[in-house]
């Protein structure tokens, strides 16, 4: 099941609170398990409060998890904790590392790594990390992305088009890019194959 909720000022948060066992391709070590991933765990509405109370993975695990082919890792806890950590300011000292990793993920050969990078970059924008190089990188990646599937039975939710649009909307909202620049990128995506 996939649900999306919008936080007060941030990009869309995606959760997969109840993944069928067949979708979990790897068993998570105990230190990387998330209470909301349990089959009998709380629903998606509980994730923001659980994230701040229970999710305390090291940054390197969160960054690696953002590119994981396992949706229980990527969409389940890595994205949730990174978004919460960025929004709360807990990861403020690590914005450069997070941004560098997300920008590298835009060039990955793995679709799930590419498609989740703009979401993290959008959270960074909302938290005050205004890097025009990040906008330029997304503007290059977005029209060229060939894999525009919303969902894959193995990889889970991908949403390249939606996640890129989330970033572009945040860039315009915070003034990193002019609306005309954003519209040019969106028009290029509309005209691109895929």
């Amino acid at each position: 099941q996939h649900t999306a909720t919008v936080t007060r000022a941030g990009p869309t948060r995606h959760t997969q609170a109840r993944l069928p066992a067949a979708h979990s391709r790897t068993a998570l070590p105990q230190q990387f398990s998330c209470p909301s991933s349990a089959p009998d765990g709380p629903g998606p509405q509980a994730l923001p409060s659980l994230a701040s109370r229970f999710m305390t993975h090291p940054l390197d695990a969160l960054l690696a998890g953002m590119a994981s082919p396992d949706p229980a890792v990527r969409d389940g806890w890595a994205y949730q904790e990174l978004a919460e950590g960025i929004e709360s300011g807990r990861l403020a000292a690590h914005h450069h590392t997070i941004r560098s990793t997300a920008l590298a993920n835009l060039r990955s050969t793995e679709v799930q790594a590419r498609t989740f990078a703009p979401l993290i970059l959008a959270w960074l924008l909302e938290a005050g990390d205004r890097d025009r190089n990040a906008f330029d990188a997304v503007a290059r990646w977005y029209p060229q992305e060939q894999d525009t599937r919303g969902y894959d039975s193995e990889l889970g939710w991908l949403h390249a088009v939606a996640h890129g649009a989330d970033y572009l909307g945040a860039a315009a909202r915070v003034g990193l890019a002019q609306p005309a620049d954003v519209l040019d990128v969106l028009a290029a995506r509309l005209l691109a194959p895929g």
Side-chain angles (χ1 to χ4, degrees):
Q1 177 177 337
H2 181 264
T3 61
T5 58
V6 178
T7 60
R8 56 186 148 70
T12 306
R13 287 199 186 202
H14 298 269
T15 61
Q16 286 183 286
R18 294 179 182 236
L19 266 177
H23 285 194
S24 181
R25 294 175 17 163
T26 59
L28 298 177
Q30 183 62 28
Q31 77 259 30
F32 292 150
S33 64
C34 170
S36 63
S37 299
D40 298 317
Q45 67 280 3
L47 281 174
S49 63
L50 286 175
S52 60
R53 288 188 11 216
F54 293 112
M55 296 182 180
T56 57
H57 301 95
L59 182 60
D60 60 338
L62 295 174
L63 295 175
M66 284 303 302
S68 174
D70 185 343
V73 173
R74 183 187 66 253
D75 213 8
W77 56 262
Y79 172 70
Q80 290 295 321
E81 187 174 346
L82 271 172
E84 188 276 334
I86 292 167
E87 182 182 40
S88 71
R90 184 172 54 91
L91 296 175
H94 304 286
H95 283 189
H96 176 75
T97 301
I98 296 166
R99 182 178 3 94
S100 296
T101 301
L103 291 173
N105 284 351
L106 284 176
R107 297 183 305 275
S108 175
T109 59
E110 298 184 29
V111 63
Q112 76 281 354
R114 293 190 309 271
T115 63
F116 272 71
L119 289 178
I120 293 304
L121 292 169
W123 279 104
L124 289 171
L125 276 176
E126 297 288 353
D129 187 71
R130 310 285 199 275
D131 184 339
R132 180 61 192 213
N133 292 327
F135 176 83
D136 294 341
V138 172
R140 282 188 303 275
W141 160 78
Y142 193 55
Q144 295 176 9
E145 177 59 54
Q146 296 295 308
D147 194 333
T148 58
R149 293 174 292 167
Y151 181 80
D152 176 82
S153 63
E154 292 290 319
L155 298 173
W157 297 101
L158 300 171
H159 294 304
V161 174
H163 293 173
D166 286 342
Y167 175 83
L168 293 169
R173 185 171 46 258
V174 302
L176 181 65
Q178 294 299 313
D181 295 337
V182 170
L183 288 174
D184 287 345
V185 177
L186 290 170
R189 173 70 261 169
L190 286 172
L191 298 172

mmCIF file of all heavy atoms in Angstrom, residues 130-168:
data_model
loop_
_atom_site.group_PDB
_atom_site.id
_atom_site.type_symbol
_atom_site.label_atom_id
_atom_site.label_comp_id
_atom_site.label_asym_id
_atom_site.label_seq_id
_atom_site.Cartn_x
_atom_site.Cartn_y
_atom_site.Cartn_z
ATOM 1 N N ARG A 130 20.399 26.202 -0.183
ATOM 2 C CA ARG A 130 20.116 26.748 -1.513
ATOM 3 C C ARG A 130 21.345 26.629 -2.396
ATOM 4 O O ARG A 130 22.195 27.517 -2.419
ATOM 5 C CB ARG A 130 19.701 28.214 -1.424
ATOM 6 C CG ARG A 130 18.617 28.532 -0.414
ATOM 7 C CD ARG A 130 17.242 28.089 -0.882
ATOM 8 N NE ARG A 130 16.151 28.738 -0.196
ATOM 9 C CZ ARG A 130 15.649 28.338 0.961
ATOM 10 N NH1 ARG A 130 16.170 27.322 1.587
ATOM 11 N NH2 ARG A 130 14.628 28.961 1.503
ATOM 12 N N ASP A 131 21.461 25.538 -3.105
ATOM 13 C CA ASP A 131 22.616 25.303 -3.971
ATOM 14 C C ASP A 131 22.151 25.291 -5.423
ATOM 15 O O ASP A 131 21.463 24.364 -5.856
ATOM 16 C CB ASP A 131 23.272 23.973 -3.601
ATOM 17 C CG ASP A 131 24.533 23.682 -4.386
ATOM 18 O OD1 ASP A 131 24.725 24.266 -5.466
ATOM 19 O OD2 ASP A 131 25.329 22.864 -3.926
ATOM 20 N N ARG A 132 22.525 26.309 -6.166
ATOM 21 C CA ARG A 132 22.103 26.398 -7.575
ATOM 22 C C ARG A 132 22.659 25.228 -8.390
ATOM 23 O O ARG A 132 22.040 24.814 -9.374
ATOM 24 C CB ARG A 132 22.554 27.748 -8.167
ATOM 25 C CG ARG A 132 22.175 27.947 -9.615
ATOM 26 C CD ARG A 132 20.661 27.918 -9.829
ATOM 27 N NE ARG A 132 20.361 27.837 -11.245
ATOM 28 C CZ ARG A 132 19.322 28.382 -11.819
ATOM 29 N NH1 ARG A 132 18.430 29.030 -11.108
ATOM 30 N NH2 ARG A 132 19.130 28.254 -13.106
ATOM 31 N N ASN A 133 23.817 24.684 -8.010
ATOM 32 C CA ASN A 133 24.349 23.515 -8.722
ATOM 33 C C ASN A 133 23.397 22.327 -8.607
ATOM 34 O O ASN A 133 23.294 21.530 -9.535
ATOM 35 C CB ASN A 133 25.736 23.141 -8.198
ATOM 36 C CG ASN A 133 26.772 24.187 -8.551
ATOM 37 O OD1 ASN A 133 26.694 24.831 -9.594
ATOM 38 N ND2 ASN A 133 27.735 24.377 -7.662
ATOM 39 N N ALA A 134 22.708 22.202 -7.478
ATOM 40 C CA ALA A 134 21.729 21.122 -7.320
ATOM 41 C C ALA A 134 20.566 21.329 -8.290
ATOM 42 O O ALA A 134 20.110 20.376 -8.936
ATOM 43 C CB ALA A 134 21.232 21.052 -5.884
ATOM 44 N N PHE A 135 20.086 22.564 -8.397
ATOM 45 C CA PHE A 135 19.013 22.834 -9.354
ATOM 46 C C PHE A 135 19.469 22.484 -10.772
ATOM 47 O O PHE A 135 18.732 21.846 -11.522
ATOM 48 C CB PHE A 135 18.567 24.302 -9.304
ATOM 49 C CG PHE A 135 17.539 24.614 -10.357
ATOM 50 C CD1 PHE A 135 16.199 24.325 -10.142
ATOM 51 C CD2 PHE A 135 17.919 25.161 -11.578
ATOM 52 C CE1 PHE A 135 15.247 24.583 -11.121
ATOM 53 C CE2 PHE A 135 16.978 25.422 -12.567
ATOM 54 C CZ PHE A 135 15.643 25.136 -12.340
ATOM 55 N N ASP A 136 20.664 22.902 -11.133
ATOM 56 C CA ASP A 136 21.171 22.628 -12.480
ATOM 57 C C ASP A 136 21.282 21.127 -12.738
ATOM 58 O O ASP A 136 20.967 20.655 -13.830
ATOM 59 C CB ASP A 136 22.524 23.309 -12.691
ATOM 60 C CG ASP A 136 22.404 24.838 -12.685
ATOM 61 O OD1 ASP A 136 21.289 25.368 -12.884
ATOM 62 O OD2 ASP A 136 23.441 25.490 -12.448
ATOM 63 N N ALA A 137 21.703 20.369 -11.729
ATOM 64 C CA ALA A 137 21.817 18.912 -11.879
ATOM 65 C C ALA A 137 20.447 18.268 -12.076
ATOM 66 O O ALA A 137 20.273 17.396 -12.933
ATOM 67 C CB ALA A 137 22.522 18.310 -10.671
ATOM 68 N N VAL A 138 19.462 18.699 -11.289
ATOM 69 C CA VAL A 138 18.102 18.165 -11.453
ATOM 70 C C VAL A 138 17.548 18.576 -12.816
ATOM 71 O O VAL A 138 16.911 17.776 -13.503
ATOM 72 C CB VAL A 138 17.178 18.617 -10.305
ATOM 73 C CG1 VAL A 138 15.721 18.230 -10.585
ATOM 74 C CG2 VAL A 138 17.640 18.014 -8.981
ATOM 75 N N ALA A 139 17.815 19.802 -13.222
ATOM 76 C CA ALA A 139 17.326 20.293 -14.523
ATOM 77 C C ALA A 139 17.921 19.496 -15.681
ATOM 78 O O ALA A 139 17.264 19.309 -16.708
ATOM 79 C CB ALA A 139 17.641 21.778 -14.679
ATOM 80 N N ARG A 140 19.139 18.998 -15.527
ATOM 81 C CA ARG A 140 19.738 18.128 -16.565
ATOM 82 C C ARG A 140 19.153 16.721 -16.506
ATOM 83 O O ARG A 140 18.850 16.117 -17.521
ATOM 84 C CB ARG A 140 21.266 18.061 -16.387
ATOM 85 C CG ARG A 140 22.003 19.259 -16.898
ATOM 86 C CD ARG A 140 23.520 19.027 -16.875
ATOM 87 N NE ARG A 140 24.039 18.684 -15.559
ATOM 88 C CZ ARG A 140 24.380 19.579 -14.622
ATOM 89 N NH1 ARG A 140 24.254 20.873 -14.864
ATOM 90 N NH2 ARG A 140 24.853 19.171 -13.470
ATOM 91 N N TRP A 141 19.000 16.187 -15.282
ATOM 92 C CA TRP A 141 18.527 14.808 -15.116
ATOM 93 C C TRP A 141 17.062 14.656 -15.524
ATOM 94 O O TRP A 141 16.697 13.701 -16.226
ATOM 95 C CB TRP A 141 18.693 14.368 -13.649
ATOM 96 C CG TRP A 141 17.834 13.204 -13.292
ATOM 97 C CD1 TRP A 141 18.064 11.888 -13.602
ATOM 98 C CD2 TRP A 141 16.577 13.235 -12.602
ATOM 99 N NE1 TRP A 141 17.029 11.107 -13.136
ATOM 100 C CE2 TRP A 141 16.113 11.914 -12.526
ATOM 101 C CE3 TRP A 141 15.806 14.255 -12.049
ATOM 102 C CZ2 TRP A 141 14.907 11.586 -11.895
ATOM 103 C CZ3 TRP A 141 14.614 13.932 -11.433
ATOM 104 C CH2 TRP A 141 14.170 12.609 -11.364
ATOM 105 N N TYR A 142 16.222 15.570 -15.084
ATOM 106 C CA TYR A 142 14.773 15.418 -15.185
ATOM 107 C C TYR A 142 14.280 15.136 -16.609
ATOM 108 O O TYR A 142 13.579 14.138 -16.824
ATOM 109 C CB TYR A 142 14.106 16.655 -14.588
ATOM 110 C CG TYR A 142 12.626 16.541 -14.329
ATOM 111 C CD1 TYR A 142 12.111 15.524 -13.543
ATOM 112 C CD2 TYR A 142 11.753 17.482 -14.844
ATOM 113 C CE1 TYR A 142 10.754 15.454 -13.284
ATOM 114 C CE2 TYR A 142 10.392 17.414 -14.589
ATOM 115 C CZ TYR A 142 9.904 16.392 -13.806
ATOM 116 O OH TYR A 142 8.559 16.325 -13.555
ATOM 117 N N PRO A 143 14.629 15.918 -17.608
ATOM 118 C CA PRO A 143 14.127 15.624 -18.959
ATOM 119 C C PRO A 143 14.760 14.375 -19.573
ATOM 120 O O PRO A 143 14.194 13.773 -20.474
ATOM 121 C CB PRO A 143 14.513 16.856 -19.782
ATOM 122 C CG PRO A 143 14.956 17.885 -18.834
ATOM 123 C CD PRO A 143 15.348 17.185 -17.572
ATOM 124 N N GLN A 144 15.918 13.974 -19.069
ATOM 125 C CA GLN A 144 16.629 12.829 -19.639
ATOM 126 C C GLN A 144 16.249 11.499 -19.007
ATOM 127 O O GLN A 144 16.607 10.441 -19.541
ATOM 128 C CB GLN A 144 18.138 13.033 -19.507
ATOM 129 C CG GLN A 144 18.641 14.200 -20.303
ATOM 130 C CD GLN A 144 20.125 14.445 -20.068
ATOM 131 O OE1 GLN A 144 20.823 13.665 -19.437
ATOM 132 N NE2 GLN A 144 20.605 15.555 -20.591
ATOM 133 N N GLU A 145 15.558 11.525 -17.859
ATOM 134 C CA GLU A 145 15.213 10.273 -17.179
ATOM 135 C C GLU A 145 14.321 9.420 -18.083
ATOM 136 O O GLU A 145 13.264 9.856 -18.510
ATOM 137 C CB GLU A 145 14.504 10.552 -15.852
ATOM 138 C CG GLU A 145 14.054 9.295 -15.112
ATOM 139 C CD GLU A 145 15.195 8.347 -14.785
ATOM 140 O OE1 GLU A 145 16.186 8.791 -14.166
ATOM 141 O OE2 GLU A 145 15.090 7.154 -15.141
ATOM 142 N N GLN A 146 14.773 8.216 -18.355
ATOM 143 C CA GLN A 146 14.045 7.312 -19.250
ATOM 144 C C GLN A 146 13.023 6.442 -18.534
ATOM 145 O O GLN A 146 12.052 6.001 -19.134
ATOM 146 C CB GLN A 146 15.042 6.408 -19.997
ATOM 147 C CG GLN A 146 15.973 7.172 -20.918
ATOM 148 C CD GLN A 146 15.223 7.827 -22.051
ATOM 149 O OE1 GLN A 146 14.454 7.183 -22.748
ATOM 150 N NE2 GLN A 146 15.429 9.124 -22.222
ATOM 151 N N ASP A 147 13.249 6.164 -17.268
ATOM 152 C CA ASP A 147 12.360 5.272 -16.523
ATOM 153 C C ASP A 147 11.341 6.104 -15.760
ATOM 154 O O ASP A 147 11.624 6.635 -14.701
ATOM 155 C CB ASP A 147 13.167 4.398 -15.568
ATOM 156 C CG ASP A 147 12.352 3.234 -15.035
ATOM 157 O OD1 ASP A 147 11.103 3.346 -14.952
ATOM 158 O OD2 ASP A 147 12.961 2.201 -14.701
ATOM 159 N N THR A 148 10.156 6.215 -16.323
ATOM 160 C CA THR A 148 9.124 7.052 -15.716
ATOM 161 C C THR A 148 8.003 6.229 -15.081
ATOM 162 O O THR A 148 6.911 6.749 -14.846
ATOM 163 C CB THR A 148 8.551 8.027 -16.761
ATOM 164 O OG1 THR A 148 8.031 7.271 -17.855
ATOM 165 C CG2 THR A 148 9.615 8.994 -17.246
ATOM 166 N N ARG A 149 8.291 4.974 -14.776
ATOM 167 C CA ARG A 149 7.284 4.154 -14.087
ATOM 168 C C ARG A 149 6.984 4.744 -12.718
ATOM 169 O O ARG A 149 7.869 5.228 -12.033
ATOM 170 C CB ARG A 149 7.801 2.727 -13.882
ATOM 171 C CG ARG A 149 7.990 1.939 -15.141
ATOM 172 C CD ARG A 149 8.632 0.603 -14.839
ATOM 173 N NE ARG A 149 10.013 0.848 -14.385
ATOM 174 C CZ ARG A 149 10.781 -0.079 -13.809
ATOM 175 N NH1 ARG A 149 10.314 -1.294 -13.603
ATOM 176 N NH2 ARG A 149 12.006 0.206 -13.441
ATOM 177 N N GLY A 150 5.740 4.661 -12.344
ATOM 178 C CA GLY A 150 5.370 5.079 -11.000
ATOM 179 C C GLY A 150 5.657 3.991 -9.990
ATOM 180 O O GLY A 150 6.060 4.256 -8.868
ATOM 181 N N TYR A 151 5.451 2.725 -10.409
ATOM 182 C CA TYR A 151 5.584 1.600 -9.483
ATOM 183 C C TYR A 151 6.205 0.415 -10.197
ATOM 184 O O TYR A 151 5.905 0.157 -11.368
ATOM 185 C CB TYR A 151 4.209 1.204 -8.930
ATOM 186 C CG TYR A 151 4.265 0.070 -7.937
ATOM 187 C CD1 TYR A 151 4.628 0.315 -6.622
ATOM 188 C CD2 TYR A 151 3.989 -1.230 -8.327
ATOM 189 C CE1 TYR A 151 4.700 -0.723 -5.706
ATOM 190 C CE2 TYR A 151 4.057 -2.275 -7.403
ATOM 191 C CZ TYR A 151 4.420 -2.014 -6.098
ATOM 192 O OH TYR A 151 4.499 -3.029 -5.195
ATOM 193 N N ASP A 152 7.065 -0.290 -9.512
ATOM 194 C CA ASP A 152 7.661 -1.531 -9.999
ATOM 195 C C ASP A 152 7.409 -2.595 -8.942
ATOM 196 O O ASP A 152 7.581 -2.327 -7.740
ATOM 197 C CB ASP A 152 9.164 -1.344 -10.223
ATOM 198 C CG ASP A 152 9.843 -2.622 -10.632
ATOM 199 O OD1 ASP A 152 9.796 -2.962 -11.827
ATOM 200 O OD2 ASP A 152 10.402 -3.311 -9.746
ATOM 201 N N SER A 153 7.017 -3.796 -9.360
ATOM 202 C CA SER A 153 6.655 -4.836 -8.397
ATOM 203 C C SER A 153 7.819 -5.254 -7.501
ATOM 204 O O SER A 153 7.600 -5.716 -6.385
ATOM 205 C CB SER A 153 6.081 -6.060 -9.121
ATOM 206 O OG SER A 153 7.060 -6.614 -9.970
ATOM 207 N N GLU A 154 9.048 -5.096 -7.940
ATOM 208 C CA GLU A 154 10.218 -5.427 -7.114
ATOM 209 C C GLU A 154 10.761 -4.208 -6.364
ATOM 210 O O GLU A 154 11.133 -4.302 -5.209
ATOM 211 C CB GLU A 154 11.334 -6.012 -7.985
ATOM 212 C CG GLU A 154 11.014 -7.379 -8.560
ATOM 213 C CD GLU A 154 10.984 -8.456 -7.488
ATOM 214 O OE1 GLU A 154 11.860 -8.441 -6.599
ATOM 215 O OE2 GLU A 154 10.078 -9.314 -7.545
ATOM 216 N N LEU A 155 10.831 -3.079 -7.043
ATOM 217 C CA LEU A 155 11.461 -1.882 -6.475
ATOM 218 C C LEU A 155 10.501 -1.001 -5.697
ATOM 219 O O LEU A 155 10.926 -0.110 -4.969
ATOM 220 C CB LEU A 155 12.104 -1.051 -7.593
ATOM 221 C CG LEU A 155 13.225 -1.718 -8.368
ATOM 222 C CD1 LEU A 155 13.646 -0.858 -9.553
ATOM 223 C CD2 LEU A 155 14.413 -2.015 -7.458
ATOM 224 N N GLY A 156 9.212 -1.208 -5.870
ATOM 225 C CA GLY A 156 8.231 -0.373 -5.183
ATOM 226 C C GLY A 156 8.002 0.929 -5.931
ATOM 227 O O GLY A 156 8.129 0.996 -7.151
ATOM 228 N N TRP A 157 7.703 1.978 -5.195
ATOM 229 C CA TRP A 157 7.372 3.274 -5.774
ATOM 230 C C TRP A 157 8.628 3.968 -6.276
ATOM 231 O O TRP A 157 9.636 4.018 -5.598
ATOM 232 C CB TRP A 157 6.647 4.144 -4.749
ATOM 233 C CG TRP A 157 5.357 3.518 -4.354
ATOM 234 C CD1 TRP A 157 5.099 2.807 -3.222
ATOM 235 C CD2 TRP A 157 4.162 3.478 -5.124
ATOM 236 N NE1 TRP A 157 3.811 2.345 -3.238
ATOM 237 C CE2 TRP A 157 3.215 2.746 -4.406
ATOM 238 C CE3 TRP A 157 3.802 4.007 -6.358
ATOM 239 C CZ2 TRP A 157 1.925 2.519 -4.859
ATOM 240 C CZ3 TRP A 157 2.515 3.783 -6.818
ATOM 241 C CH2 TRP A 157 1.595 3.052 -6.071
ATOM 242 N N LEU A 158 8.530 4.517 -7.489
ATOM 243 C CA LEU A 158 9.660 5.201 -8.115
ATOM 244 C C LEU A 158 9.331 6.669 -8.389
ATOM 245 O O LEU A 158 10.020 7.550 -7.930
ATOM 246 C CB LEU A 158 10.058 4.489 -9.410
ATOM 247 C CG LEU A 158 10.489 3.031 -9.222
ATOM 248 C CD1 LEU A 158 10.648 2.337 -10.554
ATOM 249 C CD2 LEU A 158 11.760 2.951 -8.397
ATOM 250 N N HIS A 159 8.314 6.942 -9.184
ATOM 251 C CA HIS A 159 7.793 8.303 -9.398
ATOM 252 C C HIS A 159 8.816 9.336 -9.832
ATOM 253 O O HIS A 159 8.882 10.433 -9.272
ATOM 254 C CB HIS A 159 7.133 8.837 -8.126
ATOM 255 C CG HIS A 159 5.906 8.130 -7.691
ATOM 256 N ND1 HIS A 159 4.816 7.969 -8.496
ATOM 257 C CD2 HIS A 159 5.600 7.552 -6.503
ATOM 258 C CE1 HIS A 159 3.886 7.334 -7.826
ATOM 259 N NE2 HIS A 159 4.336 7.066 -6.623
ATOM 260 N N ALA A 160 9.641 9.052 -10.817
ATOM 261 C CA ALA A 160 10.640 10.021 -11.268
ATOM 262 C C ALA A 160 10.002 11.355 -11.649
ATOM 263 O O ALA A 160 10.502 12.423 -11.264
ATOM 264 C CB ALA A 160 11.433 9.462 -12.456
ATOM 265 N N VAL A 161 8.917 11.303 -12.385
ATOM 266 C CA VAL A 161 8.285 12.541 -12.848
ATOM 267 C C VAL A 161 7.745 13.345 -11.661
ATOM 268 O O VAL A 161 7.978 14.552 -11.552
ATOM 269 C CB VAL A 161 7.179 12.239 -13.883
ATOM 270 C CG1 VAL A 161 6.423 13.497 -14.264
ATOM 271 C CG2 VAL A 161 7.788 11.574 -15.120
ATOM 272 N N ALA A 162 7.061 12.695 -10.753
ATOM 273 C CA ALA A 162 6.492 13.389 -9.597
ATOM 274 C C ALA A 162 7.582 13.912 -8.666
ATOM 275 O O ALA A 162 7.512 15.049 -8.182
ATOM 276 C CB ALA A 162 5.552 12.458 -8.831
ATOM 277 N N HIS A 163 8.594 13.088 -8.402
ATOM 278 C CA HIS A 163 9.650 13.513 -7.484
ATOM 279 C C HIS A 163 10.466 14.670 -8.064
ATOM 280 O O HIS A 163 10.853 15.595 -7.331
ATOM 281 C CB HIS A 163 10.559 12.341 -7.141
ATOM 282 C CG HIS A 163 9.871 11.281 -6.341
ATOM 283 N ND1 HIS A 163 10.476 10.086 -6.048
ATOM 284 C CD2 HIS A 163 8.636 11.225 -5.781
ATOM 285 C CE1 HIS A 163 9.645 9.333 -5.333
ATOM 286 N NE2 HIS A 163 8.523 10.014 -5.169
ATOM 287 N N GLY A 164 10.715 14.639 -9.358
ATOM 288 C CA GLY A 164 11.391 15.775 -9.994
ATOM 289 C C GLY A 164 10.553 17.034 -9.900
ATOM 290 O O GLY A 164 11.071 18.131 -9.637
ATOM 291 N N ALA A 165 9.244 16.892 -10.118
ATOM 292 C CA ALA A 165 8.348 18.048 -10.012
ATOM 293 C C ALA A 165 8.294 18.586 -8.590
ATOM 294 O O ALA A 165 8.216 19.809 -8.386
ATOM 295 C CB ALA A 165 6.947 17.668 -10.496
ATOM 296 N N ASP A 166 8.353 17.692 -7.590
ATOM 297 C CA ASP A 166 8.404 18.148 -6.197
ATOM 298 C C ASP A 166 9.614 19.052 -5.976
ATOM 299 O O ASP A 166 9.511 20.106 -5.354
ATOM 300 C CB ASP A 166 8.486 16.964 -5.227
ATOM 301 C CG ASP A 166 7.186 16.207 -5.066
ATOM 302 O OD1 ASP A 166 6.118 16.746 -5.407
ATOM 303 O OD2 ASP A 166 7.244 15.061 -4.583
ATOM 304 N N TYR A 167 10.763 18.611 -6.481
ATOM 305 C CA TYR A 167 11.977 19.421 -6.321
ATOM 306 C C TYR A 167 11.840 20.759 -7.050
ATOM 307 O O TYR A 167 12.169 21.812 -6.498
ATOM 308 C CB TYR A 167 13.219 18.681 -6.822
ATOM 309 C CG TYR A 167 14.432 19.579 -6.763
ATOM 310 C CD1 TYR A 167 15.124 19.732 -5.572
ATOM 311 C CD2 TYR A 167 14.838 20.319 -7.867
ATOM 312 C CE1 TYR A 167 16.200 20.601 -5.488
ATOM 313 C CE2 TYR A 167 15.908 21.187 -7.792
ATOM 314 C CZ TYR A 167 16.592 21.329 -6.600
ATOM 315 O OH TYR A 167 17.643 22.197 -6.527
ATOM 316 N N LEU A 168 11.384 20.716 -8.286
ATOM 317 C CA LEU A 168 11.257 21.951 -9.063
ATOM 318 C C LEU A 168 10.290 22.929 -8.399
ATOM 319 O O LEU A 168 10.539 24.142 -8.370
ATOM 320 C CB LEU A 168 10.824 21.633 -10.488
ATOM 321 C CG LEU A 168 11.865 20.868 -11.307
ATOM 322 C CD1 LEU A 168 11.246 20.375 -12.607
ATOM 323 C CD2 LEU A 168 13.098 21.704 -11.564
#
